[in-house]
Amino acid sequence: MGIQGMELFAIGVVVILFMAVLKQFGILEPISSFEDSSDSDLELSTVRHQPEGLDQLQAQTKFTRKELQSLYRGFKNECPSGMVDEETFKTIYSQFFPQGDASTYAHFLFNAFDMDRNGSIRFEDFVIGLSVLLRGSVTEKLNWAFNLYDINKDGYITKEEMLAIMKSIYDMMGRYTYPCVRDDAPSEHVDKFFQKMDKNRDGVVTIEEFIETCQKDENIMNSMQLFENHWMMEQHQN
Amino acid sequence: MATGVAAWLPFARAAAIGWMPVANCPMPIAPRDNSRKQDELIILNVSGRRFQTWRTTLDRYPDTLLGSSEKDFFYNEETKEYFFDRDPDAFRSILNFYRTGKLHYPRHECISAYDEELTFFGIIPEIIGDCCYEEYKDRKRENLERLQDDQEENKDLKQPNLNFRETMWRAFENPHTSTLALVFYYVTGFFIAISVITNVVETVPCGTTTNQKDMPCGERYTVAFFCIDTACVMIFTVEYLLRLFAAPSRYRFMRSVMSIIDVVAILPYYIGLVMTNNEDVSGAFVTLRVFRVFRIFKFSRHSQGLRILGYTLKSCASELGFLLFSLTMAIIIFATVMFYAEKGSSSTKFTSIPASFWYTIVTMTTLGYGDMVPKTIAGKIFGSICSLSGVLVIALPVPVIVSNFSRIYHQNQRADKRRAQKKARLARVRIAKSGSANAFLQSKHNGLLNELLELTGSEEDEQKLIKCTSLLESQHHHLLRCLEKTTAHEFVDEQVYEQNCLETALQTYPSHSSSIASHDSPAMTCCGASGKKNTPLPNANLPLANPVPSHRGPLQELSALHIPLSHTSSRSNLNLRTDESKRINCKSGRITTAIISLPTPPALAPDSDGLHGPPQRRPPPPLGHPAAPSIQTTTSSAGTNIVKVSAL
């Protein structure tokens, strides 16, 4: 009885080994390898993008030709494929805020720049966004900020959206702050914001309320001009 | 912040507008950078190859040479470019670092050359990208090992003052240091061999005469073998005790492997002496004799290959362990399987699993004695699988061990090769050094000749002398001369220095010399200081033995030094005529000594005043011989160009 069993076992082992050998010779391949044939094709389509011509961009933005040239050179240097995906964007942006976690805010920022929502920022998006931020009128900038806060782009900023934005901004601070960031600090800040902005107390902030309130606030108006001057100074001499 | 993303900073700052509506307090004022230059193309000319890049690219790393104002030192106003006299190939990787933010190490580049370039351009090697970092580290480690080996050898040579114990220890560890050590080394080696051979021969059956059975030689010639054994053991004991005495740290020595082997090698003998021929313990006594074979390990002191092997095995301990473990696993598995496969067949040798171990081991190592063979089909199938897998399991860790051995072996080879090359290298260094020292002395001599010739007015010889030295050389020699003046000593050749030392011993005319010396001192200003400070007083009794002509002034009695170099007569010949100066040929090969002493020109009156003028123009007189009045050089090479110039 035991002999019988051992012999069966032995024959089983032999059969397995035989199949292993056959696989090596490629005779058994069609059975096992039909799923890996399509992998090779995917790599060929390079994700690459060429921007529109210099003239069109000049028409669409408020940058001069030289500024566009300089911007493109910097952009292409960092992203040779011509497109920035969200991960790269997050990495780049996080490098400016080493103490905290800038990935959430970077996500919102990415969505604000990626206007056609295709998951990557092309040079046109980049430069158009920059044009608004640096050369645009105050209204345009405020529009842009509203767009940033309105996560689902429905035209209203809800408390939840604002809370998410606020949390992400506080996240960038990191742990080591003075005074320590309390857990309810973002929501407090959101409450203050809504108090200021939400005129009709309907729980959401519309674009008109937003712009109106901001235009009345001197601090905000001053700060809108802040970066513009600097940038113009930099680029002016290029 | 990685400066690769510096290009995105303006963007990040612009995006900060998103915070503005949320903020409750005013923002700080933005910094204004008034001194920003335009972004222009910079031309970097590295040994003729021109690289161009934007200025902002270079500004990304402000703590490097190219990124800071340090590169202004290399700016060439006429061509409006930055010129670096460095290797353009290595510069490529450096410039790429600025462009891409990643530093790569090109494989064909020599590691030390690359390191130098990095240091020059102010880039720390630690930022080499991950793709190239491993290679860089490996090669750096190799290079370091190479340098370390060199240094260790240097250390060996530089120990002048050791006490007896340390000398002995050094002699034991490096038998090449002295002949006594070498003798000791060979003697012990010889006795180890004798001991091992006797152990072996002891058991060979010598021919029998009257007895029926063969007696091993050991029992036949007991006394002889005992004597040889005693002698060997005595030598080994003495050696061990000497080593123990000489060891710098006795405790560590006693724990070291070699000393344990030594002890184990000689202990059986002593235990055998102590024990009597008791029946109970003779079994143990026989076992002890086995340990005598450990004497063969004493050869590892004598053979480097053995040491390498031992070191390799030690360093591959983990691979060996893995090998052993996998073998054990396989043995147990296959033994079990074979046992159950063969259980049914009659008169099988596979009586138990441990009994099957033997079969499995013999099969897996492909020995196949054939004393146990499976008879059933299943057994045969599993047996064949067993032997195939045995080959694989053993073959896997072996390359690791082999590569380890190869690496260690090559390291040792390298050490040997370097030792051989070292002698050649040192000889070259010595020649180079002496060449430059001689060049200096030669130039001093030329300077004197020059001035002499100026005085004698032979122009063409002067020309011949002048063109012999380049600007660099002449500046270097001037520097050495300044040093001489500062310390009020002079550079001389080795032989002359030795001779000076000899002369101080041979002082026989102190009075005569001292009077002259005292005459000298007021005459010499800074030159004379040298004469006073040096111990060897001028010895007029030099084996020159040429009579000083009487019309010379007192200062001229001191004759030039005898230059002992060449075999051809190097006596200063005070009576040579000046027209022989025409034979001055600065191209005449090695001029190894130039003890220069000043001739008093015949035109000037031989009084002390006359010497004020010329000596101040000329280099100071040689060591201990103020105002010896003749110049003499000899060439050591062919010896035929003996140029002696003296003026009377």
Side-chain angles (χ1 to χ4, degrees):
Chain A
M1 199 54 213
I3 304 171
Q4 211 71 24
M6 283 313 284
E7 280 192 350
L8 280 178
F9 184 41
I11 293 169
V13 166
V14 167
V15 169
I16 289 172
L17 288 178
F18 190 60
M19 278 177 58
V21 168
L22 280 187
K23 215 195 287 198
Q24 281 308 307
F25 279 107
I27 298 174
L28 282 185
E29 253 190 28
I31 301 177
S32 54
S33 62
F34 64 89
E35 63 258 3
D36 12 0
S37 52
S38 51
D39 277 2
S40 42
D41 297 8
L42 278 180
E43 306 301 327
L44 284 179
S45 65
T46 50
V47 187
R48 214 179 81 82
H49 174 74
Q50 274 179 334
E52 300 170 17
L54 210 48
D55 300 317
Q56 284 126 309
L57 282 178
Q58 232 182 326
Q60 285 175 334
T61 67
K62 299 205 182 72
F63 290 120
T64 67
R65 212 176 167 83
K66 274 198 151 210
E67 289 169 339
L68 281 171
Q69 280 180 340
S70 170
L71 279 171
Y72 186 67
R73 279 202 302 265
F75 183 80
K76 183 96 174 158
N77 216 12
E78 296 309 312
C79 318
S81 62
M83 316 186 60
V84 194
D85 64 343
E86 189 166 338
E87 281 313 307
T88 321
F89 187 83
K90 278 188 181 163
T91 322
I92 293 174
Y93 199 74
S94 306
Q95 302 214 9
F96 293 105
F97 304 98
Q99 294 108 326
D101 173 28
S103 47
T104 331
Y105 187 70
H107 168 75
F108 295 132
L109 211 51
F110 186 85
N111 286 336
F113 268 92
D114 185 16
M115 288 175 307
D116 47 0
R117 316 307 295 265
N118 62 351
S120 61
I121 298 182
R122 304 162 305 155
F123 181 64
E124 292 90 339
D125 302 332
F126 177 73
V127 99
I128 289 173
L130 265 189
S131 161
V132 165
L133 287 173
L134 298 170
R135 303 290 163 89
S137 67
V138 179
T139 324
E140 285 173 347
K141 289 184 192 172
L142 289 172
N143 256 323
W144 188 88
F146 186 84
N147 193 31
L148 173 70
Y149 299 148
D150 186 10
I151 297 177
N152 54 4
K153 315 282 181 240
D154 61 354
Y156 301 103
I157 304 180
T158 63
K159 263 206 173 150
E160 293 75 23
E161 290 174 340
M162 204 57 224
L163 191 59
I165 300 266
M166 200 64 73
K167 269 218 194 102
S168 68
I169 294 181
Y170 274 87
D171 279 344
M172 281 197 284
M173 291 293 294
R175 278 198 323 142
Y176 305 108
T177 56
Y178 177 78
C180 283
V181 173
R182 298 189 321 277
D183 285 337
D184 55 351
S187 49
E188 253 191 58
H189 205 140
V190 168
D191 289 333
K192 267 195 276 200
F193 178 80
F194 264 77
Q195 255 185 350
K196 207 163 55 161
M197 299 276 168
D198 190 10
K199 295 290 191 243
N200 55 359
R201 306 271 170 249
D202 56 353
V204 293
V205 177
T206 62
I207 179 80
E208 297 85 10
E209 288 174 338
F210 184 72
I211 292 182
E212 207 190 308
T213 322
C214 288
Q215 277 175 339
K216 293 214 198 94
D217 188 333
E218 209 178 292
N219 277 339
I220 295 179
M221 294 308 283
N222 284 343
S223 57
M224 285 291 158
Q225 317 286 339
L226 197 66
F227 298 106
E228 171 190 319
N229 287 340
H230 177 71
W231 177 246
M232 270 175 67
M233 196 91 169
E234 270 175 41
Q235 294 296 331
H236 180 64
Q237 289 155 343
N238 279 1
Chain B
M1 186 181 75
T3 40
V5 297
W8 288 77
L9 182 60
F11 162 76
R13 302 190 69 227
I17 287 185
W19 308 336
M20 298 301 122
V22 183
N24 293 326
C25 27
M27 291 290 133
I29 305 180
R32 295 172 96 90
D33 189 2
N34 292 324
S35 65
R36 286 186 69 90
K37 296 202 182 99
Q38 300 181 19
D39 196 7
E40 44 167 354
L41 275 180
I42 296 189
I43 304 178
L44 300 162
N45 184 348
V46 182
S47 298
R49 207 188 292 181
R50 284 190 171 71
F51 297 86
Q52 292 183 340
T53 182
W54 296 109
R55 179 178 291 275
T56 46
T57 311
L58 295 182
D59 286 342
R60 283 189 198 159
Y61 298 96
D63 51 353
T64 60
L65 185 149
L66 290 173
S68 62
S69 57
E70 197 182 341
K71 63 178 183 287
D72 296 337
F73 288 102
F74 298 91
Y75 190 65
N76 186 347
E77 298 289 343
E78 294 115 44
T79 53
K80 299 257 182 271
E81 59 189 19
Y82 293 89
F83 181 74
F84 298 96
D85 202 5
R86 311 290 298 187
D87 183 9
D89 286 329
F91 188 73
R92 268 185 52 236
S93 356
I94 289 174
L95 196 54
N96 275 339
F97 166 62
Y98 286 92
R99 294 191 183 127
T100 62
K102 290 207 274 262
L103 182 62
H104 294 282
Y105 169 60
R107 269 152 219 227
H108 60 267
E109 201 70 48
C110 168
I111 183 78
S112 34
Y114 189 71
D115 259 349
E116 273 178 29
E117 293 297 313
L118 285 185
T119 321
F120 179 83
F121 286 102
I123 299 174
I124 47 174
E126 271 67 32
I127 51 181
I128 289 184
D130 287 333
C131 39
C132 302
Y133 194 60
E134 211 180 299
E135 167 91 12
Y136 173 80
K137 273 293 173 202
D138 281 343
R139 287 186 57 175
K140 193 137 192 217
R141 192 174 26 95
E142 250 182 68
N143 207 30
L144 226 56
E145 281 172 3
R146 210 170 281 151
L147 290 176
Q148 259 177 15
D149 284 342
D150 263 343
Q151 280 174 8
E152 275 170 15
E153 285 166 22
N154 281 342
K155 269 195 295 202
D156 279 345
L157 302 173
K158 289 184 207 148
Q159 290 172 2
N161 305 320
L162 300 172
N163 60 19
F164 175 63
R165 184 171 155 188
E166 283 168 357
T167 345
M168 237 168 70
W169 180 249
R170 245 185 84 211
F172 280 135
E173 294 297 303
N174 309 328
H176 310 281
T177 48
S178 70
T179 22
L180 192 60
L182 212 53
V183 162
F184 184 75
Y185 175 78
Y186 283 127
V187 161
T188 43
F190 175 68
F191 273 97
I192 295 174
I194 293 266
S195 165
V196 169
I197 291 175
T198 46
N199 282 345
V200 166
V201 168
E202 249 182 5
T203 60
V204 170
C206 291
T208 64
T209 51
T210 51
N211 307 4
Q212 265 125 344
K213 56 183 172 85
D214 275 335
M215 271 172 53
C217 283
E219 288 176 22
R220 189 137 170 228
Y221 303 104
T222 321
V223 177
F225 279 104
F226 183 72
C227 288
I228 298 180
D229 207 20
T230 314
C232 294
V233 168
M234 266 183 5
I235 301 261
F236 295 152
T237 319
V238 163
E239 181 205 352
Y240 179 71
L241 290 174
L242 280 181
R243 276 186 203 263
L244 191 63
F245 167 68
S249 153
R250 298 210 171 105
Y251 180 58
R252 227 181 50 174
F253 172 71
M254 284 180 65
R255 281 190 315 173
S256 73
V257 175
M258 286 311 299
S259 89
I260 292 180
I261 290 178
D262 288 338
V263 167
V264 168
I266 60 181
L267 225 41
Y269 175 80
Y270 289 112
I271 296 182
L273 274 188
V274 165
M275 284 194 324
T276 59
N277 260 341
N278 233 341
E279 280 308 312
D280 339 325
V281 294
S282 72
F285 181 57
V286 164
T287 321
L288 271 182
R289 284 183 148 218
V290 168
F291 283 95
R292 288 189 305 172
V293 83
F294 274 81
R295 288 177 196 168
I296 210 172
F297 283 114
K298 287 164 70 75
F299 264 132
S300 62
R301 277 213 187 93
H302 297 248
S303 154
Q304 205 187 29
L306 264 184
R307 276 203 300 270
I308 295 178
L309 191 61
Y311 184 64
T312 311
L313 290 176
K314 200 163 57 146
S315 69
C316 305
S318 63
E319 278 80 28
L320 287 175
F322 168 69
L323 174 62
L324 221 56
F325 175 67
S326 55
L327 268 180
T328 312
M329 256 181 25
I331 286 172
I332 294 179
I333 292 175
F334 278 109
T336 314
V337 167
M338 289 308 293
F339 172 69
Y340 283 111
E342 287 287 304
K343 199 159 183 214
S345 86
S346 57
S347 73
T348 184
K349 291 230 175 70
F350 294 81
T351 51
S352 66
I353 294 187
S356 313
F357 280 168
W358 175 243
Y359 169 76
T360 318
I361 291 175
V362 166
T363 312
M364 279 187 93
T365 53
T366 70
L367 271 180
Y369 288 134
D371 53 350
M372 281 166 87
V373 280
K375 296 201 173 62
T376 62
I377 297 178
K380 286 187 179 161
I381 290 174
F382 287 118
S384 39
I385 298 176
C386 172
S387 74
L388 288 174
S389 66
V391 168
L392 283 177
V393 167
I394 292 182
L396 285 176
V398 166
V400 179
I401 298 175
V402 164
S403 77
N404 258 359
F405 181 77
S406 162
R407 184 175 55 88
I408 297 171
Y409 181 70
H410 282 306
Q411 261 183 16
N412 266 348
Q413 290 284 64
R414 207 166 42 202
D416 286 339
K417 263 192 273 181
R418 227 164 328 118
R419 247 187 297 257
Q421 289 167 357
K422 197 184 204 167
K423 287 196 179 154
R425 222 187 323 140
L426 285 179
R428 275 204 307 271
V429 166
R430 219 177 315 129
I431 289 178
K433 268 199 196 160
S434 67
S436 83
N438 295 335
F440 173 59
L441 297 171
Q442 158 71 343
S443 84
K444 276 210 304 200
H445 152 69
N446 282 348
L448 289 173
L449 282 183
N450 220 358
E451 281 141 10
L452 163 67
L453 291 173
E454 275 173 27
L455 298 168
T456 59
S458 50
E459 290 293 323
E460 58 280 12
D461 292 327
E462 208 177 308
Q463 303 304 325
K464 272 192 255 178
L465 283 180
I466 287 175
K467 54 181 191 270
C468 290
T469 57
S470 66
L471 176 64
L472 205 62
E473 251 187 77
S474 48
Q475 284 177 342
H476 181 217
H477 295 160
H478 174 254
L479 180 68
L480 292 173
R481 255 181 254 141
C482 290
L483 180 62
E484 284 182 339
K485 286 252 163 92
T486 315
T487 58
H489 286 65
E490 272 194 17
F491 291 108
V492 293
D493 194 14
E494 198 183 319
Q495 282 90 342
V496 174
Y497 175 71
E498 282 170 11
Q499 202 202 11
N500 284 350
C501 295
L502 270 180
E503 284 163 10
T504 54
L506 299 175
Q507 279 296 315
T508 47
Y509 295 105
S511 56
H512 183 66
S513 316
S514 60
S515 69
I516 293 173
S518 59
H519 267 282
D520 288 345
S521 28
M524 302 298 132
T525 53
C526 69
C527 312
S530 72
K532 272 201 289 189
K533 283 192 186 146
N534 298 319
T535 44
L537 289 177
N539 189 349
N541 202 27
L542 286 176
L544 308 168
N546 284 323
V548 176
S550 52
H551 66 271
R552 283 181 164 218
L555 292 165
Q556 296 162 355
E557 280 182 9
L558 309 169
S559 38
L561 270 185
H562 167 61
I563 295 174
L565 260 194
S566 56
H567 306 300
T568 62
S569 80
S570 47
R571 294 167 168 245
S572 75
N573 193 335
L574 301 175
N575 294 325
L576 270 190
R577 295 177 316 236
T578 44
D579 53 358
E580 291 192 15
S581 66
K582 295 209 175 78
R583 279 194 271 134
I584 296 169
N585 183 4
C586 72
K587 293 197 282 276
S588 63
R590 312 259 149 70
I591 302 199
T592 50
T593 63
I595 304 308
I596 301 160
S597 29
L598 296 174
T600 41
L604 297 176
D607 56 80
S608 53
D609 282 329
L611 288 167
H612 279 246
Q616 280 151 8
R617 268 199 303 144
R618 294 179 179 127
L623 226 52
H625 294 268
S630 68
I631 294 178
Q632 173 178 302
T633 65
T634 60
T635 60
S636 66
S637 46
T640 50
N641 284 354
I642 302 170
V643 178
K644 299 175 188 108
V645 174
S646 70
L648 296 177

